[in-house]
Each structure stands twice: as structure tokens, then as C-alpha cells.
Amino acid sequence: MEIIAIFIGFLLFCLVVLTIPVDLSFYLEKDEALDYQAKLCLLFGFITIDMNSKDRKVEKRVLPKKKKSGKEHLMSMFRNKEFIKRLIRLVLDLLYSCRIKELNLHCRIGLGDPAETGILVGILSPLLLAWENTILKTDFQEAVFEGYCKAKIRIFPIQIIGYLLAFIFSPITVRAMKISLFKQR
């Protein structure tokens, strides 16, 4: 009986910890090189994790080629319209669970193709209307991405876990996974 009480207490403790919001602040700048700074604040700022990569070295690893990648059965999931709608709802729910407290964005973008640049700006512009300190300049002639972004975001882990579990165990996702696994065999 004591083991069950300890287990329930541990689960309640984990649930309480997951209800505490996590603050993420980052600064990203891209001119010739990419420079960024990021901090993750847990327990209302009592624990701060510096996520800068100045001390880390990135090594390129060459992986051996596999004969069959399995991408074919994953693509069959994306052919299902109901699954696509459920995936879009997951992305929107995850964005809703993140509260953007501050956003400063000044950038110049261009994809080289005027049509693709127009599509990208058409997607990004309505999303950036809510913030005053956003400037999005376009270059329809050349492929370019430069500027900076500074943001402070509050994330609620319990909401993210809830949305992910609702997505994974939804009948549409389970059905799409069964169909894709059946086609794999």
C-alpha cells in the first residue's frame, strides 16, 4: 500500500511540475554568419539554462546508406485528408499553448523566385500583424535571408503534452498509422 501511495505522490508531483510555465528567450541574428543566444528559465526563473553553442563543436557524421528508408509508408499517412486536418489542428494547438510575450523582428527575405517569395510573405505577413516591432522586407530578385529576431516566449508543458497525447491517440491518427503500417508489409 505504501508503494502505491509513493507512486501516486510521484505522479502528482510530476503533474504539478508540468503545470509551471517555462520561459524561453532568444536572440537570432543572420548576416554573413548565424549568431544566436538562448536562455531557458524554469520554475519562474530560479533555474536558468544557457543554451548557447559557443563551446560546442559540431561534427559531421556520415551515416551508411540504408536500402529502404520507410518514407513510402509515411507518405501514405499524408495522403489522408483527415490526417492532414488533424495535423494542422495539432500545430495550431501547439502554437496556442505558446504565449509570445515580446517579439522584435527585422529581416529581409527572398527566395530567388518572385512567386515563391510572394507565397512566403503571404503566409508570414498575417501572422506578424499582431506585433508592432516587426519589419519584414522582401527581395524578389535574389535569394537572401538576413536580419535579427528577439523573442520571449512562455510555454506551458502540460498543455503541450495534452495536445500531443490527444493527437497520438485520436482515431484519425491511429487509423492512418494502421493503414501506413499495413501498406508497408
Side-chain angles (χ1 to χ4, degrees), residues 39-101:
K39 287 184 182 178
L40 189 67
C41 296
L42 306 169
L43 298 173
F44 300 107
F46 288 120
I47 300 172
T48 302
I49 301 170
D50 192 14
M51 299 174 19
N52 296 335
S53 67
K54 293 179 181 178
D55 299 331
R56 300 178 195 161
K57 293 182 180 178
V58 178
E59 296 179 11
K60 291 185 178 180
R61 295 187 301 180
V62 178
L63 298 174
K65 290 187 177 180
K66 295 180 182 179
K67 292 182 180 178
K68 192 172 183 180
S69 66
K71 290 181 181 178
E72 296 83 16
H73 75 276
L74 286 177
M75 290 308 293
S76 67
M77 289 175 63
F78 291 106
R79 291 187 186 109
N80 187 351
K81 290 181 182 179
E82 292 176 349
F83 180 75
I84 295 294
K85 289 179 183 177
R86 185 67 180 107
L87 187 65
I88 290 171
R89 182 174 174 202
L90 171 69
V91 170
L92 292 175
D93 287 342
L94 290 176
L95 288 174
Y96 176 74
S97 68
C98 299
R99 307 291 194 272
I100 300 175
K101 297 163 98 177

